[in-house]
Amino acid sequence: MKPLTLLLFLLCLPGPARAQVLEVCASCPLPTVAAGLEQAAPYDTVWVRSGVYRESGLRIEKPLTLMGEAGAVIDGEHQGEIMQVASDSVSVLGLHLRNVGVSYTQDHAALRVIKSKYFRLENLKLEGLFFGIYLEKSSQGQVCNNQILGDAKEEFNSGNGIQLWYCQDVEVSGNTVHRVRDGIYLEFSDRIQIAGNISSGNVRYGLHFMFSNHDTYTNNLFEDNGAGVAVMFSKDIEMVGNTFRKNWGTASFGLLLKEINDARIAGNRFEENTVGISIEGSNRIEYLNNDFRANGWAIKVRGACYTNLFSGNNFMHNSFDVSYNSKVNDNRFEGNYWSAYSGYDLDRNGYGDVPHRPVKLFSYIVNRTPETLVLLRSPFMDLIDFSERVSPVFTPDNLLDPEPLIRPRP
Amino acid sequence: MFKIVRYSFQDLLRSRWSYVYFAFYLLLGFVMLFLNHDLAKGVITLMNVIIILVPLIATIFGVMYYYSSREFTALLLAQPIRRSRIFLGQYLGVAGSLSLSLVLGLGLPFVLYGLFRSPAIWDFVLLLVTGVFLNLIFTALAFLVALSNDNRIKGFGYAVLLWLFLAVVYDGIFLLSLILFEEYPLDSFALGATLLNPIDLSRTLILLKLDISALLGYTGAVFKAFFGTSLGMLVSLGVLGLWTAAPVAALVRKARHKDF
């Protein structure tokens, strides 16, 4: 008897086991994606065959999977938003969405997810953008391996690649975002995992945090963005193993921290940025084992930064390693490697025997009179820096690394 | 003229000073690369050496050579050779041998440590080009000073003072004036003052390669146009050319009118 009841029970079950696949193609009974979505029952799969579908304003209001064959393109023809997801458990996979309408009053997105859970957006390709993927008040979803290629030129008439607004527990990984306003933008979004994305050539920030707490971003690459990466007004952020490269310009940073508390920044690489990390009003942050290589300023401390720890970092050939604009220092520098260190290690324990003072007097002069920058690496400046290092007058005298590493940490 | 160039050149080779100079750079290059295997860092250290030592050595060498070969110059003057040829020949002989020592002395160690496989090669080439320019400029200035002063001690003194002024004092005055007038827009002045000193100019040229990320941190349209485009490189090289031509022209003029 027992197997029979089980069979009966299984037959009564709705759901994926009984789900249908609906095919959409130009010569099919369902010639448009809209018709496919209309006809589909919950938990069905809508299979979009290769071809160009000139549709916009699509809306998914039931749990289903929308899959595109290679070459399946939905062209919004600049008519507002292309697709909205307003149901839980929706997957959108492998589609190519293009030509979102640009508006100065509404944030049109290629794909918007509204108040839904368990969504999956994967292998999408978005082109001709205003906003790309816009998640609002959604949670427990995944945004993976998408390609977002914008053509933004100015900040005011472009949108963000991936935007999260009031979202929780979302995974954003393996995406490539290029030439939009902000590559990835988080506002009021908590516990977001951002991993392995490439965000480059964006008009403003590669990654932008606002009022978002307990987020993690790991192993991302941020390159050649207008202003680098900005993390603002957020708590408890983990930043591990990311690479920040070639963010050049007067207001450009590898990483900008503003009002960030209790964060951990470890194992990142900062290469050839105008400013590696610019820190303002950020407390209790641990900077561990990062590499700063050939930046203009590796670390620029702008004030109100207390109880931060810098340890095990490599400072290699930066024009300025650390710059301060005040005489007060409450931050600790311990066991970093400084390529500018000129001390010795007589007891051969791997740590230098004399402390290193990373702040040059010249960086103060440049703060005060920026034009003096043309005197960078002038022998006269080296002379002044040397005398300041011997007896500090202008720089905080407790700002030193008591035991600098003799060899760079590998 | 080439005969005179060749003669000066061989004279310097015989006097062993070029070898000392060559050996010095060779040693410097090897020691530096031995202490840190990083070619990129080597280039930065080398920059400091080049903008301080190359002008100093060229100055002292130029003055010394002029005074020690004065009798021979007098002998040449008695021959039917144009004055400009004599002095230009001697000048090119000295500057050429100094430049050769510099290029070979620094080039050899870097090539042996794998320069051709390193991305630092263009920085290094630029460094050598500026080094050669500085040699040409400061040898010419030294000849000019020596030609204007028959008194050896005075000539030496003025030449070394000239070097000290351009290498160190100039930057001090430059810095002070920038700080004193900080309320005024200074970017054109800062760039102009840089162009007026060949040592600053060489430094800027190398900064364009090594510290471009820092230089772009300054908010100023003039700076941005200068440093952010290839304009900076072209203008700097052009002005270095002018800096070479001007003292050489003055040298020729002076030589033509001088009463020996």
Side-chain angles (χ1 to χ4, degrees):
Chain A
M1 280 307 277
K2 245 188 173 175
L4 191 64
T5 27
L6 187 67
L7 191 69
L8 278 173
F9 174 69
L10 278 178
L11 279 175
C12 298
L13 262 185
R18 293 235 314 255
Q20 279 185 318
V21 176
L22 288 83
E23 211 173 282
V24 172
C25 66
S27 55
C28 300
L30 298 169
T32 61
V33 181
L37 294 174
E38 180 68 44
Q39 286 291 309
Y43 301 104
D44 279 355
T45 297
V46 177
W47 171 239
V48 182
R49 302 301 297 262
S50 161
V52 178
Y53 302 84
R54 297 180 199 287
E55 294 177 64
S56 61
L58 299 166
R59 201 170 154 87
I60 304 178
E61 286 171 321
K62 48 203 152 191
L64 52 75
T65 301
L66 176 61
M67 270 177 85
E69 194 185 32
V73 180
I74 302 182
D75 190 332
E77 297 188 297
H78 305 286
Q79 306 287 320
E81 208 141 272
I82 297 181
M83 194 183 294
Q84 287 188 353
V85 173
S87 157
D88 288 353
S89 311
V90 173
S91 303
V92 182
L93 315 168
L95 278 169
H96 181 172
L97 309 179
R98 71 183 186 204
N99 299 335
V100 183
V102 174
S103 158
Y104 293 92
T105 50
Q106 279 173 307
D107 293 346
H108 292 315
L111 178 51
R112 179 186 298 270
V113 180
I114 306 164
K115 291 184 187 165
S116 77
K117 287 181 176 177
Y118 319 115
F119 55 89
R120 213 171 115 215
L121 313 176
E122 214 175 313
N123 295 325
L124 302 172
K125 191 173 174 194
L126 313 182
E127 261 177 330
L129 294 176
F130 187 41
F131 280 76
I133 296 175
Y134 198 129
L135 311 177
E136 59 181 77
K137 299 193 170 172
S138 301
S139 59
Q140 277 133 330
Q142 293 174 322
V143 180
C144 300
N145 305 329
N146 302 296
Q147 268 192 52
I148 302 177
L149 305 172
D151 43 16
K153 287 182 189 68
E154 309 280 352
E155 271 182 35
F156 67 91
N157 60 0
S158 54
N160 303 328
I162 301 175
Q163 173 147 350
L164 287 82
W165 187 66
Y166 282 109
C167 293
Q168 284 91 36
D169 303 291
V170 177
E171 182 192 332
V172 179
S173 64
N175 301 291
T176 304
V177 188
H178 187 68
R179 274 201 84 88
V180 289
R181 184 172 65 194
D182 288 352
I184 303 172
Y185 179 51
L186 276 72
E187 198 168 350
F188 308 110
S189 294
D190 300 339
R191 298 183 302 280
I192 310 293
Q193 307 274 335
I194 301 172
N197 302 289
I198 298 174
S199 180
S200 62
N202 298 304
V203 175
R204 197 168 63 182
Y205 299 115
L207 173 68
H208 190 181
F209 278 64
M210 280 295 209
F211 316 107
S212 299
N213 306 322
H214 317 291
D215 301 314
T216 306
Y217 67 95
T218 49
N219 303 323
N220 301 289
L221 169 66
F222 304 103
E223 190 170 8
D224 190 24
N225 296 303
V229 170
V231 183
M232 304 192 192
F233 308 101
S234 304
K235 283 187 296 196
D236 234 337
I237 311 282
E238 289 254 321
M239 315 176 209
V240 180
N242 303 290
T243 303
F244 305 82
R245 297 188 61 209
K246 294 203 170 170
N247 298 295
W248 284 357
T250 51
S252 189
F253 317 94
L255 176 58
L256 168 69
L257 302 177
K258 191 176 168 65
E259 304 283 332
I260 301 299
N261 293 320
D262 304 293
R264 203 167 74 93
I265 300 174
N268 301 292
R269 294 170 70 86
F270 297 85
E271 288 173 349
E272 296 175 53
N273 304 292
T274 296
V275 178
I277 308 186
S278 174
I279 316 167
E280 204 173 327
S282 300
N283 309 307
R284 299 181 299 280
I285 300 182
E286 290 183 345
Y287 302 84
L288 309 171
N289 305 341
N290 300 293
D291 267 13
F292 298 89
R293 207 178 280 266
N295 300 289
W297 286 259
I299 293 180
K300 204 168 193 172
V301 180
R302 290 184 183 272
C305 298
Y306 302 104
T307 338
N308 298 298
L309 170 69
F310 299 83
S311 175
N313 302 295
N314 289 336
F315 292 89
M316 320 257 271
H317 324 310
N318 304 296
S319 307
F320 302 95
D321 284 334
V322 178
S323 125
Y324 257 63
N325 62 359
S326 75
K327 273 202 72 174
V328 187
N329 172 44
D330 184 42
N331 303 314
R332 281 184 303 150
F333 292 84
E334 286 174 4
N336 300 290
Y337 171 78
W338 311 88
S339 63
Y341 180 56
S342 54
Y344 44 83
D345 179 25
L346 288 183
D347 51 8
R348 295 195 156 273
N349 63 353
Y351 293 97
D353 298 345
V354 284
H356 177 66
R357 295 185 178 280
V359 178
K360 289 183 190 170
L361 175 60
F362 184 37
S363 75
Y364 273 78
I365 298 175
V366 170
N367 260 340
R368 199 180 134 177
T369 318
E371 288 87 357
T372 51
L373 198 59
V374 287
L375 289 167
L376 185 63
R377 293 194 198 283
S378 152
F380 183 76
M381 283 302 168
D382 292 346
L383 216 65
I384 294 186
D385 281 337
F386 176 73
S387 55
E388 172 73 13
R389 203 164 282 173
V390 174
S391 57
V393 179
F394 298 96
T395 53
D397 58 351
N398 65 344
L399 203 166
L400 47 82
D401 190 334
E403 288 195 317
L405 289 175
I406 283 294
R407 285 180 199 292
R409 182 186 42 73
Chain B
M1 188 166 114
F2 285 107
K3 246 182 194 161
I4 298 170
V5 174
R6 211 178 63 206
Y7 175 78
S8 299
F9 203 86
Q10 281 171 349
D11 187 30
L12 281 167
L13 286 188
R14 259 202 306 276
S15 76
R16 290 198 298 271
W17 272 109
S18 336
Y19 292 116
V20 173
Y21 193 43
F22 168 69
F24 167 73
Y25 277 123
L26 199 65
L27 194 69
L28 181 80
F30 272 119
V31 166
M32 213 159 54
L33 288 171
F34 177 73
L35 289 179
N36 56 58
H37 290 274
D38 191 350
L39 283 180
K41 193 185 175 188
V43 170
I44 294 178
T45 318
L46 214 55
M47 186 196 94
N48 285 322
V49 174
I50 281 197
I51 62 175
I52 286 286
L53 280 185
V54 166
L56 178 66
I57 294 176
T59 308
I60 292 181
F61 229 71
V63 177
M64 227 164 61
Y65 185 84
Y66 175 82
Y67 284 128
S68 65
S69 65
R70 205 146 52 166
E71 276 103 42
F72 178 65
T73 313
L75 180 71
L76 281 181
L77 285 170
Q79 308 298 316
I81 312 173
R82 280 169 61 181
R83 278 189 171 190
S84 60
R85 297 246 162 118
I86 298 174
F87 288 99
L88 268 185
Q90 287 186 340
Y91 160 70
L92 285 178
V94 175
S97 95
L98 285 175
S99 304
L100 194 70
S101 307
L102 172 77
V103 171
L104 286 183
L106 286 180
L108 271 181
F110 273 77
V111 167
L112 289 181
Y113 270 85
L115 178 71
F116 292 121
R117 279 173 278 115
S118 159
I121 179 157
W122 290 114
D123 299 348
F124 185 74
V125 168
L126 183 68
L127 204 65
L128 289 187
V129 168
T130 42
V132 169
F133 262 120
L134 283 175
N135 262 328
L136 292 175
I137 292 168
F138 277 86
T139 313
L141 287 175
F143 263 68
L144 196 60
V145 169
L147 206 57
S148 321
N149 291 284
D150 282 331
N151 185 337
R152 273 169 203 241
I153 308 294
K154 260 190 174 169
F156 250 108
Y158 287 143
V160 171
L161 265 183
L162 183 68
W163 168 80
L164 193 69
F165 176 76
L166 289 177
V168 185
V169 181
Y170 185 88
D171 282 357
I173 297 171
F174 187 7
L175 176 69
L176 272 181
S177 48
L178 281 177
I179 292 179
L180 276 179
F181 297 107
E182 65 185 354
E183 277 99 30
Y184 298 88
L186 285 172
D187 29 3
S188 308
F189 166 73
L191 285 181
T194 309
L195 294 182
L196 285 180
N197 178 347
I199 295 186
D200 274 351
L201 194 58
S202 318
R203 192 170 45 76
T204 313
L205 201 57
I206 298 166
L207 287 190
L208 280 175
K209 277 274 176 206
L210 296 180
D211 292 278
I212 186 69
S213 47
L215 289 174
L216 287 177
Y218 172 71
T219 15
V222 181
F223 267 37
K224 201 160 184 188
F226 189 80
F227 290 123
T229 61
S230 51
L231 179 76
M233 188 69 83
L234 289 177
V235 170
S236 306
L237 279 174
V239 177
L240 266 185
L242 279 183
W243 256 108
T244 318
V248 172
L251 173 74
V252 170
R253 219 181 112 81
K254 188 95 197 162
R256 198 175 291 145
H257 297 291
K258 191 174 159 73
D259 192 10
F260 282 92

